[in-house]
Amino acid sequence: MRRAVALVGLFGIVGAGLSLSVLPTTRTSAAPSEQRTFLIPAGDGYGVADCISSKAECGKIVADAWCEAKGFAKASSFGLASREDFTGSLSKTKATPARTPEQPLVITCGG
């Protein structure tokens, strides 16, 4: 009985060793062409809207930092979002709101 248990244990150890030896040794990584677009409220409280909306030099720094914080290498584009980029954009109707909300910012990361 002990030999049978020892034999099963031995086969288990050998099988586990073989299965580990056939595992791939290369790491997988995200495709370099993967891009993602983020919409950021203009009044987010950090004061980055002036840099990003004017496409100034500081905007590139802020956009790259945003993308790095989200796991991407750098920002491929940034600026004001167009009306088609965010939901809730309706064509002008006769009723006008009392206060027009600020247009959000857009940062596209990747590449």
Side-chain angles (χ1 to χ4, degrees), residues 9-95:
L10 178 65
F11 285 133
I13 292 171
V14 170
L18 287 174
S19 67
L20 289 175
S21 67
V22 295
L23 288 175
T25 57
T26 60
R27 289 186 174 172
T28 59
S29 62
S33 63
E34 181 183 351
Q35 290 191 342
R36 186 164 176 196
T37 301
F38 298 95
L39 288 174
I40 305 160
D44 64 351
Y46 293 107
V48 299
D50 294 334
C51 287
I52 292 178
S53 63
S54 66
K55 296 207 178 226
E57 181 67 30
C58 64
K60 179 68 175 155
I61 295 168
V62 169
D64 284 342
W66 179 273
C67 291
E68 287 176 16
K70 299 296 181 185
F72 292 89
K74 63 179 182 172
S76 57
S77 67
F78 60 94
L80 286 174
S82 66
R83 301 288 277 162
E84 294 83 28
D85 288 341
F86 54 95
T87 60
S89 60
L90 301 174
S91 61
K92 286 276 187 182
T93 59
K94 292 185 181 188

